Amino acid sequence: MASTSRDVTAGRGPHPKRKPAKLLEVLNTLEEEESSNSREEIFIAPPDNASGEFTDEDSGDEDGQRGAHLPGSVLHASVLSEESGTGQDNDDLELQPAKKRQKTVVKPQRVWTKRDIRPDFGSWTASDPHIEDLKSQELSPVGLFELFFDEGTINFIVSETNRYAWQKNVNLSLTAQELKCVLGILILSGYISYPRRRMFWETSPDSHHHLVADAIRRDRFELIFSYLHFADNNKLDESDRFAKVRPLIVRMNCNFQKHAPLEEFYSFGESMCEYFGHRGSKRLHAGKPVRLGCKIWCGTTSRGYLVWFEPSQGTLFTKPDRSLDLGGTMVIKFVDALQERGFLPYHIFFDKVFTSVKLMSILRKKGVKATGTVREYRTERCPLKDPKELKKMKRGSFDYKVDESEEIIVCRWHDSSVVNICSNAVGIEPVRLTSRQSGATKTRTQVHQPSLVKLYQEKVRGVGRMDQNIAKYKVKIQGMKWYSSFIGYVIDAALNNAWQLHRICCQDAQVDLLAFRRYVACVYLESNADTSSQGRRSRRLETESRFDMIGHWIIHQDKRTRCALCHSQTNTRCEKCQKGVHAKCFREYHIR
C-alpha cells in the first residue's frame, strides 16, 4: 500500500452519521496492522483558540520527561478525518486506515514519448559576494551565531518579555545581558543536562555547575524563563495557530535567508520538533514508539543550512493552492522565498510527499529546476512498465517517458524496490554503473543508474543532515508554555546555520559542532555574567577560562585598551576572556 497521511482534529464534536473514533482506538488498530507495509500518519490539529490567553500555559511537570506516554485527555479525544490534499472537510469519513486514492482523469491528457529530456534552463553562473564578505570578516562562533540572534532580535525579545510581565503586574526589568545568559544556559543544556534543571545551581559536588551558577541566580533565571515571550497578546492573529511565536518566525526566516549561502541545489522536506504536551500542532507516527511533535516544513541547502521554515498547521488552517496539495503549496512558498534573492535557475529536491507532475510544471514556468520521487497516481497516467513486470527484470533496469509539451520526464527504476522519479531538468543520460548491496547474498554488485537518480540521491539529504545536527545536542530545558520546545528548535537551527557558515568561512581552523556550541555557551555565560556580587568567583572564572585552551578568538575592538600581557595599547582582544591582547601576545597570554 502506498504511504498516506491524514489530518484529524481532536474534540470537534460528534460525527453526524457515525460515532467518532477515539485516538486510543485508532492507535490500537494501527498497531494490530503493524506487520503490513502501510504507514499511517495522524496529524492532531491545534485548538481553535490557540492564540488565547490560556495557551501561554501547558499542563504537566516541565522537568518530567514523559517520552512516549500520552495523557488520557489526548488518548480518549474524538478524532475526525480530513482529506489532506483538498483542504476541505469530509464529514462522511471516520479515521480509518486510508483507502487507496482514486486516479483522476487529467484533461487535456498529456502526450508521453520514449526519449530523453531536453531542458531549456540556463546554467548556474551566480557568485556569492556575501559569503566572501563573511570570510574577510573572520567572524568567531559567537559572531556567526549573532548574525541570526542579532541585536534587533535580542532587543525585540527583551521588549516583548517585559511587556508580557507588565501585563501580569510583574516588574521584570529584563536586560539584553540577562537574556544572553538565559540563551547560554539553554545552549549548554544541549550537551550537559540534568533530570531537573535546578541541579545546575545545587551546591552538591556531583551536580553543581559553577559556570551557570556564577552567571545568573537560579530564581532570576526561573522568573525570566517563565515570562519569556515573543508577541503582544493584544495583537494576535486569531486565524494563526502559531501567533504566539509568529514575529520570531518572521525575524528568523529573514535572517536565515539574508545570510544563506547562494547555491544551486536545495532540499525541501519535513522536520519534527518533539512535543508531548496537550496542545499545539502535533503529529503522531504509527508503527513506532508513540511520539508526538510539531511538523515543520523546511527548505535547506544540500549541506543542511536551514534557509526557510514554517510550522505546519494542517489543511484545517492552511488552505492549499487549488491545483496542488498542501505539500506542493509549501514548496511554492519556499521557491518564492528563494527568488527574493534573484530569479536564478535553482534546483530543488524533495520526496514523494510533495512531488507531482503538476508541481513540476508550475516550477518550470517559474524558471526553477526540480527533481523528486513520485507516487504512481501523481504521474498523470504516464505509460511506464508495470512495477511487477519491472521487478522480474535485472536489477538496474528502468523505463522512462517524457511529456512532449513541457519537457517533464518520469522514470521508473528497479533497485531493491521499484522507484518512480520525476524531473523537469535532469534526464537519463549519462547512465552510470553504481555499486549496490544484494540483500540475499550480502555481496555488492554493479547496476545501471540513470543520471537523475544519481543526482537526486546526492542532493536530497539536506533536511536530514540538518535534523541529524539538531538531534545531537538539542536544547533539553523546556518550560510550561506549549511553544517552549519550538523555541529550543529555533535556537538549535540558528546554531546549526552558524556552524555551517563557520565550515564555509573558516577552512583552516574548523571546529566540530560540539566545540562550536560549547564556545558560544561559555562566552555568553562568562561575558554576560551578573557582576553585582562578584568576589572571588570572578577571579576564579578568569583563571579557569584563561588556560582552558577552548574557544579563544582574537577580535577587533573600536576602543584601544592596554594589553593584558605587555600592557601597551592594543585594538584587539580575546572574545572569551574579554581582555585586550595583542596578536603577538595572544598565545603566550593563554599558556602562562
Side-chain angles (χ1 to χ4, degrees):
M1 181 186 295
S3 172
T4 60
S5 63
R6 286 183 177 272
D7 288 349
V8 300
T9 178
R12 293 196 175 270
H15 195 281
K17 294 183 179 181
R18 304 175 183 174
K19 182 179 179 181
K22 304 294 184 181
L23 180 57
L24 182 59
E25 298 171 359
V26 173
L27 295 178
N28 291 334
T29 302
L30 294 177
E31 287 176 359
E32 291 173 0
E33 299 179 356
E34 188 174 348
S35 59
S36 67
N37 294 325
S38 64
R39 180 173 63 89
E40 302 293 338
E41 295 177 356
I42 304 171
F43 178 86
I44 304 179
D48 289 335
N49 53 353
S51 61
E53 184 72 16
F54 83 97
T55 59
D56 280 328
E57 299 293 331
D58 202 351
S59 57
D61 181 8
E62 57 190 336
D63 281 326
Q65 301 195 8
R66 284 173 284 181
H69 300 287
L70 299 181
S73 59
V74 174
L75 288 172
H76 295 284
S78 300
V79 289
L80 300 176
S81 70
E82 178 190 348
E83 287 295 331
S84 60
T86 62
Q88 299 177 351
D89 293 340
N90 187 339
D91 293 333
D92 295 331
L93 293 173
E94 281 189 335
L95 181 66
Q96 299 173 351
K99 297 180 180 179
K100 186 175 180 180
R101 289 175 181 250
Q102 298 294 325
K103 295 182 180 179
T104 57
V105 179
V106 180
K107 296 181 181 180
Q109 191 171 358
R110 296 180 181 271
V111 178
W112 299 95
T113 306
K114 183 67 174 285
R115 64 170 176 83
D116 203 358
I117 192 174
R118 294 191 288 265
D120 56 357
F121 293 99
S123 59
W124 181 265
T125 58
S127 59
D128 193 353
H130 180 66
I131 292 296
E132 295 301 323
D133 182 53
L134 289 179
K135 288 181 179 179
S136 65
Q137 295 181 41
E138 297 182 353
L139 294 175
S140 68
V142 171
L144 292 170
F145 177 69
E146 289 182 347
L147 292 176
F148 311 115
F149 275 87
D150 55 9
E151 184 179 357
T153 302
I154 293 293
N155 291 336
F156 164 76
I157 298 174
V158 169
S159 175
E160 291 301 333
T161 301
N162 284 330
R163 186 204 308 273
Y164 177 64
W166 179 79
Q167 292 172 349
K168 298 292 186 180
N169 298 319
V170 175
N171 183 18
L172 185 61
S173 299
L174 174 65
T175 64
Q177 184 179 6
E178 289 179 313
L179 179 60
K180 288 185 178 181
C181 275
V182 172
L183 288 176
I185 294 173
L186 295 178
I187 294 170
L188 182 138
S189 72
Y191 58 90
I192 297 177
S193 61
Y194 293 126
R196 298 185 180 91
R197 64 171 178 252
R198 291 194 169 202
M199 293 175 68
F200 280 111
W201 289 270
E202 288 183 359
T203 57
S204 301
D206 65 329
S207 64
H208 179 75
H209 197 287
H210 72 82
L211 188 62
V212 173
D214 291 345
I216 188 172
R217 295 182 180 276
R218 182 197 66 191
D219 291 346
R220 181 62 177 171
F221 172 83
E222 295 288 352
L223 184 65
I224 294 172
F225 194 62
S226 65
Y227 284 100
L228 206 59
H229 217 65
F230 306 92
D232 185 354
N233 280 351
N234 296 323
K235 299 179 181 179
L236 296 178
D237 181 4
E238 295 185 358
S239 63
D240 184 4
R241 280 8 185 203
F242 284 86
K244 297 278 186 171
V245 291
R246 180 59 58 186
L248 181 65
I249 294 173
V250 172
R251 284 178 173 271
M252 297 311 294
N253 268 329
C254 179
N255 289 340
F256 287 170
Q257 293 165 35
K258 179 180 177 181
H259 302 291
L262 187 61
E263 299 180 2
E264 179 181 4
F265 302 111
Y266 293 87
S267 173
F268 191 87
E270 301 167 300
S271 180
M272 285 289 291
C273 170
E274 284 190 350
Y275 171 61
F276 302 105
H278 293 201
R279 304 185 181 95
S281 294
K282 302 187 288 288
R283 190 177 69 171
L284 182 145
H285 289 270
K288 300 179 181 180
V290 181
R291 299 173 64 185
L292 288 172
C294 300
K295 180 170 71 174
I296 302 175
W297 309 107
C298 294
T300 71
T301 65
S302 59
R303 297 181 68 174
Y305 178 101
L306 179 61
V307 180
W308 178 90
F309 71 102
E310 174 66 27
S312 175
Q313 304 184 55
T315 54
L316 293 169
F317 310 112
T318 305
K319 298 303 179 184
D321 185 275
R322 291 183 179 179
S323 59
L324 296 171
D325 59 9
L326 180 57
T329 302
M330 292 296 115
V331 173
I332 297 299
K333 288 187 177 182
F334 172 55
V335 168
D336 291 342
L338 283 180
Q339 292 186 331
E340 291 179 3
R341 301 185 68 181
F343 291 87
L344 301 171
Y346 303 109
H347 198 151
I348 317 296
F349 296 84
F350 34 76
D351 62 20
K352 59 187 177 182
V353 174
F354 310 95
T355 312
S356 66
V357 172
K358 180 64 177 177
L359 177 60
M360 294 293 176
S361 175
I362 294 174
L363 292 177
R364 183 177 180 275
K365 293 175 183 177
K366 286 179 170 285
V368 175
K369 306 173 188 177
T371 303
T373 52
V374 61
R375 291 169 176 154
E376 184 178 359
Y377 68 85
R378 290 181 177 174
T379 61
E380 299 195 9
R381 295 190 173 183
C382 181
L384 299 175
K385 287 184 179 179
D386 187 86
K388 294 181 179 179
E389 180 183 349
L390 201 61
K391 278 187 176 181
K392 297 177 182 179
M393 300 175 65
K394 182 180 178 181
R395 186 173 181 179
S397 302
F398 57 89
D399 189 21
Y400 59 94
K401 293 288 193 304
V402 173
D403 174 35
E404 284 286 350
S405 61
E406 296 191 290
E407 291 296 325
I408 297 174
I409 188 171
V410 179
C411 174
R412 180 167 289 165
W413 180 55
H414 176 210
D415 189 26
S416 55
S417 61
V418 175
V419 179
N420 299 319
I421 190 164
C422 181
S423 179
N424 63 9
V426 189
I428 300 298
E429 299 294 338
V431 178
R432 297 181 175 87
L433 289 175
T434 185
S435 177
R436 315 295 285 184
Q437 182 172 337
S438 174
T441 61
K442 294 186 178 181
T443 58
R444 302 195 71 84
T445 58
Q446 297 290 317
V447 301
H448 289 92
Q449 186 180 55
S451 180
L452 77 167
V453 177
K454 177 178 175 59
L455 187 63
Y456 173 81
Q457 291 181 345
E458 290 176 354
K459 303 298 182 182
V460 76
R461 299 170 184 169
V463 176
R465 286 173 178 146
M466 180 202 68
D467 281 339
Q468 185 180 25
N469 292 337
I470 288 178
K472 285 181 179 178
Y473 314 110
K474 62 184 176 182
V475 172
K476 302 294 194 306
I477 294 178
Q478 296 185 10
M480 296 291 289
K481 295 182 175 64
W482 63 266
Y483 49 80
S484 64
S485 59
F486 178 77
I487 301 306
Y489 180 92
V490 172
I491 295 173
D492 290 330
L495 282 163
N496 168 71
N497 284 1
W499 181 63
Q500 295 291 349
L501 293 180
H502 166 77
R503 295 174 66 195
I504 296 172
C505 299
C506 303
Q507 298 289 342
D508 299 330
Q510 289 188 7
V511 297
D512 61 17
L513 180 58
L514 176 57
F516 190 92
R517 287 187 72 117
R518 291 180 64 189
Y519 180 83
V520 175
C522 288
V523 170
Y524 265 28
L525 290 174
E526 292 183 356
S527 302
N528 300 285
D530 180 15
T531 59
S532 61
S533 60
Q534 283 189 349
R536 292 176 300 171
R537 73 178 183 186
S538 63
R539 178 64 181 169
R540 185 183 71 196
L541 277 175
E542 176 187 343
T543 303
E544 291 180 359
S545 63
R546 174 180 170 181
F547 304 110
D548 61 7
M549 304 298 290
I550 298 174
H552 295 273
W553 291 71
I554 187 169
I555 62 174
H556 177 79
Q557 58 182 3
D558 295 330
K559 185 179 179 180
R560 293 174 66 85
T561 58
R562 290 195 178 275
C563 175
L565 186 67
C566 68
H567 306 296
S568 60
Q569 294 289 324
T570 178
N571 60 358
T572 58
R573 62 184 169 91
C574 175
E575 185 181 36
K576 183 175 181 180
C577 300
Q578 293 296 308
K579 295 287 186 180
V581 187
H582 286 110
K584 62 181 181 181
C585 303
F586 193 79
R587 183 176 182 277
E588 187 177 358
Y589 173 75
H590 289 99
I591 62 175
R592 281 182 60 177

